[in-house]
């Protein structure tokens, strides 16, 4: 049961994130929802890499070469970097929408519907 | 020297556009002319590398490239315990075909873009993003590592979102970009969850490794659903198509033509997962029918939504959705009979070949149509069909290119759309006649819609407000001409194209054990 806690947190976080994206009307809050969802996925990846009693893959301080494979950590780092780029681009879109439309409420951002 | 180039071509395919992209802003500081020369040089090099690599693959079979290994063919290092730990590119005939599509389309579109987008500001970042899009597409179709697929998918999404929003257009383009990018990000996260599931189950990220260990447990089914949903959304299939018309109509025309290629790369990812990772472990009939139904829905909904549109690019975007349906239909039929060798021989392979042939044809004629729409906008400044008319008098070449594209999309001989649609009709009729009838009706509606568009843009008397309109400039015509020439050539010699390019790709896609053996050795 205890070992499943991270995965329960993953499910809870992704549900919170998705609900925020679907329910909220404020662009910034929707983007926050995306960030929460991304964090849930990152937590999922990093929990997969956990091995009880494993030795961290730091060559200079490990007692022997029997270390855990650092792939999930590498994946998570990459994913975090991509997430930062995503957030930056989304927020810059929000800035332009605010300048041009004077609102960030998704109910009022409807000019494309013709 | 030549041997070195061939050996390292898979790495160069990513490196050349990537370096070119980030050097472009610095080169552009010298003068716009130097920048144009630089990006044309980079794109020419990328196209040459892609063509060279593709011809090598079609002649000598699947190519493997291991990044950072002592030798590019060393997939499983001796001390790794039998797991391919490095990033591996696996380029089989299907990947090579997609590379050729991306390279040729990218080259034609870039020539067009040099003159069409000249008037805009901020071009240094425009071409950086454009080359990053090429990098993303090339990476997605070449990689043999599933996490890498996600990385390139995100590079492609971020670059595309930036380009869709490029002409801010009073915020409208940004609105379309937000729609596209929010959906893309959620889709990419779904793909990443699926990758996490595979890693947790099979301790591997390599596609061949996952495929060889595939058990098709409940978790694998969850991963399959996540991937199909995410990639079907990215390629614009109904019911997740609503970003497509907005994004396609608001992006600059050259970008729209590249977005078509990008959506085909997502389609490639979908087929790769279904055929290479799962293949026979999944219930081929059920998943095949799901893909067929997605295809039929896209075809019908796309074409019916296209008919009432007033904006020419929106109309073409709905047709793009409808044409994606044909590819899903063809390959879906192939998947539904996978594993049943007699049925596969009698019509399964032909259906898959038709679907894959339609991918390359669609990229060519749809790119051509979007470019003609862009050329018209370049001269008259509107996409609204009700305000156009009589342009056939002044833009003769554009009109000819439009006719070629329109007849090809409607499946009229002797253009390439006819060749691939005929293969789809024949084989789907053998599978289920009703599906073939729906496909033909959609084709007729497509023709009707394009006759209307042609009439309202080009026919009629010369309008007074368009008195001074001239033919599109030469580089734009050359870009369109390359695509039009390919459309006609593929339509005149379909059998040669199918034999040399399409059939190897379809067989490579269906042959899971061959893919695994090429990476992991004769296991």
């Amino acid at each position: 049961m205890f070992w499943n806690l991270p995965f329960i947190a993953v499910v809870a976080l992704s549900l919170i994130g998705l609900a925020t994206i679907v329910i909220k009307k404020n662009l910034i809050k929707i983007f926050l929802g995306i960030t929460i969802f991304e964090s849930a996925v990152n937590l999922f990846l990093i929990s997969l890499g956990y091995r009880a009693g494993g030795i961290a893959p730091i060559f200079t301080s490990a007692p022997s070469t029997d270390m855990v494979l650092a792939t999930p950590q590498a994946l998570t780092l990459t994913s975090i970097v991509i997430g930062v780029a995503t957030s930056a681009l989304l927020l810059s879109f929000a800035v332009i929408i605010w300048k041009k439309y004077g609102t960030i409420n998704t109910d009022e951002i409807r000019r494309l519907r013709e | 020297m030549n041997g070195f180039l061939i050996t390292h071509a898979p790495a160069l395919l990513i490196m050349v556009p990537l370096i070119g992209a980030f050097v472009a802003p610095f080169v552009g500081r010298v003068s716009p002319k130097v920048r144009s020369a630089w990006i044309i040089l980079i794109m020419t090099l990328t196209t040459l590398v892609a063509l060279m690599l593709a011809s090598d693959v079609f002649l000598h079979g699947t190519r493997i490239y291991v990044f950072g290994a002592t030798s590019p063919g060393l997939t499983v290092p001796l001390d790794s315990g039998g797991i391919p730990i490095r990033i591996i590119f696996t380029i089989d005939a299907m990947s090579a075909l997609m590379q050729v599509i991306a390279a040729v389309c990218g080259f034609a579109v870039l020539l067009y873009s040099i003159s069409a987008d000249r008037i805009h500001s901020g071009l240094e970042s425009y071409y950086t993003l454009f080359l990053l899009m090429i990098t993303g597409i090339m990476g997605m179709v070449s990689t043999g590592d599933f996490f890498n697929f996600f990385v390139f998918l995100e590079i492609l999404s971020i670059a595309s979102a930036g380009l869709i929003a490029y002409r801010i257009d009073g915020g409208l383009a940004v609105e379309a970009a937000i729609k596209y990018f929010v959906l893309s990000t959620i889709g990419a996260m779904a793909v990443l969850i699926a990758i996490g599931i595979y890693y947790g189950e099979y301790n591997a990220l390599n596609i061949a490794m996952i495929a060889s260990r595939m058990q098709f447990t409940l978790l694998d089914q969850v991963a399959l659903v996540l991937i199909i949903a995410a990639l079907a959304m990215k390629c614009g299939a109904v019911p997740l198509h609503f970003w497509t018309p907005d994004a396609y109509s608001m992006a600059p025309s050259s970008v729209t033509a590249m977005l078509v290629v990008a959506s085909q790369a997502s389609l490639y990812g979908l087929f790769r997962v279904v055929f290479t990772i799962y293949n026979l472990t999944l219930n081929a009939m059920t998943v095949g029918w799901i893909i067929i139904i997605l295809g039929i829905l896209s075809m019908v909904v796309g074409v019916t939504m296209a008919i009432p549109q007033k904006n020419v690019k929106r109309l073409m975007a709905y047709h793009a959705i409808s044409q994606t349906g044909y590819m899903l239909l063809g390959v879906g039929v192939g998947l539904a009979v996978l594993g049943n060798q007699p049925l596969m021989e009698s019509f399964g392979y032909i259906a898959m070949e038709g679907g894959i042939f339609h991918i390359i044809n669609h990229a060519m004629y749809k790119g051509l149509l979007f470019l003609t729409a862009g050329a018209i906008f370049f001269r008259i400044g509107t996409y609204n069909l009700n305000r156009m008319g009589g342009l056939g008098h002044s833009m003769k070449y554009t009109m000819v290119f439009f006719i070629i594209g329109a007849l090809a999309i409607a499946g009229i001989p002797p253009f390439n759309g006819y060749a691939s649609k005929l293969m789809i009709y024949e084989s789907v009729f053998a599978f289920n006649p009703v599906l073939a009838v729906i496909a033909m009706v959609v084709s007729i509606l497509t023709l009707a819609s394009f006759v209307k568009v042609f009439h309202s843009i080009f026919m009629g008397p010369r309008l007074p407000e368009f008195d001074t309109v001239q033919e599109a400039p030469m580089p734009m015509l050359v870009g369109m001409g390359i695509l039009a020439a390919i459309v006609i050539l593929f339509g005149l010699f379909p059998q040669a194209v199918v034999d040399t390019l399409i059939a190897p790709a379809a067989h490579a896609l269906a042959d899971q054990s061959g893919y695994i053996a090429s990476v992991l050795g004769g296991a």
Side-chain angles (χ1 to χ4, degrees):
Chain A
M1 182 60 209
F2 179 74
W3 300 115
N4 286 334
L5 267 183
F7 296 103
I8 296 169
V10 167
V11 174
L13 273 176
S14 43
L15 287 181
I16 293 172
L18 286 175
T20 315
I21 296 168
V22 175
I23 296 168
K24 290 293 178 187
K25 297 287 177 200
N26 184 318
L27 267 188
I28 302 285
K29 288 184 181 164
I30 292 177
F31 297 165
L32 278 176
I34 292 177
T35 316
I36 295 173
F37 189 38
E38 280 172 358
S39 312
V41 180
N42 290 338
L43 183 61
F44 177 54
L45 288 178
I46 210 79
S47 326
L48 287 174
Y50 180 73
R51 291 285 175 272
I55 293 165
I58 305 166
F59 269 92
T60 45
S61 62
S64 72
T65 48
D66 290 336
M67 299 171 280
V68 293
L69 190 60
T71 316
Q73 282 82 347
L75 302 191
T76 314
L77 257 181
T78 317
S79 161
I80 289 172
V81 172
I82 292 174
V84 170
T86 309
S87 308
L89 189 57
L90 281 172
L91 289 175
S92 68
F93 286 162
V95 170
I96 298 176
I97 287 284
W98 172 256
K99 275 186 190 157
K100 298 285 177 185
Y101 287 20
T103 175
I104 47 169
N105 184 335
T106 47
D107 281 339
E108 295 164 40
I109 307 174
R110 282 269 182 267
R111 294 192 198 168
L112 263 175
R113 288 282 160 85
E114 289 171 318
Chain B
M1 184 61 195
N2 204 21
F4 175 82
L5 274 182
I6 293 269
T7 316
H8 295 281
L12 287 174
L13 196 60
I14 306 298
M15 240 169 69
V16 172
L18 199 61
I19 293 175
F22 289 109
V23 173
F26 298 103
V27 175
R29 294 196 76 89
V30 181
S31 84
K33 279 223 169 66
V34 179
R35 180 179 56 227
S36 303
W38 171 255
I39 45 187
I40 288 179
L41 173 77
I42 289 293
M43 198 59 224
T44 315
L45 283 178
T46 313
T47 312
L48 286 179
V49 171
L51 291 179
M52 199 170 71
L53 181 60
S55 65
D56 186 56
V57 168
F58 281 113
L59 284 176
H60 302 119
T62 307
R63 278 289 303 278
I64 306 289
Y65 189 85
V66 185
F67 283 86
T70 43
S71 119
L74 186 69
T75 49
V76 186
L78 292 174
D79 55 350
S80 75
I83 300 173
I85 47 170
R86 290 202 168 87
I87 292 170
I88 297 178
F89 271 22
T90 313
I91 296 141
D92 64 358
M94 182 70 198
S95 310
L97 178 74
M98 297 301 297
Q99 286 168 1
V100 173
I101 299 176
V104 173
C105 266
F107 185 70
V109 169
L110 190 75
L111 279 184
Y112 172 96
S113 160
I114 294 278
S115 106
D117 298 316
R118 204 177 37 203
I119 43 175
H120 300 303
S121 60
L123 281 180
E124 49 290 308
S125 39
Y126 178 88
Y127 287 112
T128 303
L129 290 176
F130 189 93
L131 288 173
L132 279 179
M133 246 180 119
I134 303 269
T135 316
I137 295 170
M138 291 297 186
M140 270 173 79
V141 301
S142 318
T143 185
D145 180 290
F146 211 21
F147 185 73
N148 237 278
F149 180 81
F150 162 78
V151 173
F152 284 116
L153 184 73
E154 280 287 41
I155 291 178
L156 179 59
S157 306
I158 293 176
S160 315
L163 285 175
I164 292 169
Y166 176 70
R167 285 188 313 128
I168 291 170
D169 209 2
L172 284 180
V174 179
E175 197 182 323
I178 288 180
K179 215 181 250 182
Y180 168 79
F181 198 40
V182 168
L183 281 171
S184 289
T185 310
I186 298 171
M189 286 302 136
V191 171
L192 190 54
I193 292 177
I195 293 170
I197 290 175
Y198 292 142
Y199 185 77
E201 270 191 291
Y202 305 117
N203 284 325
L205 291 168
N206 190 286
I207 291 178
M209 198 71 194
I210 299 172
S212 69
R213 295 181 172 180
M214 178 53 64
Q215 307 285 326
F216 204 54
T217 58
L218 180 69
L219 276 173
D220 289 328
Q221 295 177 20
V222 173
L224 179 67
V225 169
L226 287 172
I227 290 178
I228 289 188
L231 291 178
M233 183 272 290
K234 290 277 294 179
C235 70
V238 174
L240 288 162
H241 64 288
F242 38 81
W243 63 270
T244 327
D246 293 340
Y248 281 19
S249 61
M250 293 322 295
S253 287
S254 38
V255 174
T256 314
M258 282 317 290
L259 279 176
V260 173
V261 184
S263 72
Q264 322 263 328
S266 306
L267 205 60
Y268 160 87
L270 179 63
F271 295 159
R272 180 58 85 205
V273 167
V274 171
F275 279 98
T276 303
I277 292 195
Y278 287 91
N279 206 284
L280 283 177
T281 57
L282 51 66
N283 188 337
M285 205 40 143
T286 316
V287 180
W289 267 101
I290 290 173
I291 291 182
I292 292 171
I293 289 168
L294 280 180
I296 292 284
L297 272 177
S298 308
M299 276 157 59
V300 175
V301 173
V303 82
T304 42
M305 293 291 286
I307 290 172
Q309 296 302 322
K310 300 276 178 291
N311 178 320
V312 61
K313 275 181 79 181
R314 249 186 128 70
L315 182 142
M316 289 179 182
Y318 277 111
H319 279 298
I321 296 173
S322 156
Q323 298 301 311
T324 306
Y326 281 91
M327 305 159 205
L328 289 170
L329 174 64
V331 180
V333 167
L335 180 64
V337 295
L338 190 73
N340 187 336
Q341 207 53 37
L343 287 183
M344 203 67 193
E345 293 293 340
S346 72
F347 62 83
Y349 279 123
I350 302 184
M352 281 177 70
E353 284 163 18
I356 294 168
F357 196 15
H358 208 64
I359 293 182
I360 187 166
N361 291 344
H362 178 71
M364 300 301 163
Y365 63 65
K366 185 54 91 177
L368 176 63
L369 282 173
F370 276 122
L371 294 188
T372 53
I376 293 162
F377 181 79
F378 185 73
R379 284 304 186 206
I380 69 171
T382 177
Y383 286 125
N384 191 329
L385 284 171
N386 294 343
R387 290 174 51 204
M388 296 179 187
L391 290 173
H393 297 283
S394 42
M395 302 180 76
K396 292 194 179 60
Y397 289 108
T398 310
M399 179 173 74
V400 170
F401 291 141
F402 183 89
I403 293 174
I404 293 173
L407 291 181
I409 195 175
I412 305 291
F415 299 103
N416 61 2
Y418 167 75
S420 50
K421 281 189 178 178
L422 189 67
M423 289 170 76
I424 295 176
Y425 296 154
E426 280 178 348
S427 51
V428 172
F429 189 83
F431 177 72
N432 187 333
V434 179
L435 299 180
V437 172
I438 297 176
M440 282 182 211
V441 171
V442 169
S443 231
I444 295 167
L445 290 174
T446 308
L447 180 63
S449 165
F450 270 96
V451 168
K452 186 196 87 175
V453 175
F454 175 70
H455 190 84
S456 45
I457 298 179
F458 294 107
M459 292 290 108
R462 194 186 280 265
L463 293 183
E465 64 265 39
F466 300 142
D467 238 2
T468 54
V469 170
Q470 291 170 343
E471 183 55 80
M474 195 41 118
M476 290 168 80
L477 289 179
V478 172
M480 291 189 270
I482 294 176
L483 293 179
I486 295 173
V487 167
I488 294 175
L489 272 179
F490 278 18
L492 289 179
F493 308 104
Q495 200 54 47
V497 179
V498 168
D499 287 344
T500 50
L501 292 177
I502 312 297
H507 283 84
L509 198 56
D511 180 18
Q512 184 199 26
S513 50
Y515 187 91
I516 296 174
S518 65
V519 177
L520 299 180

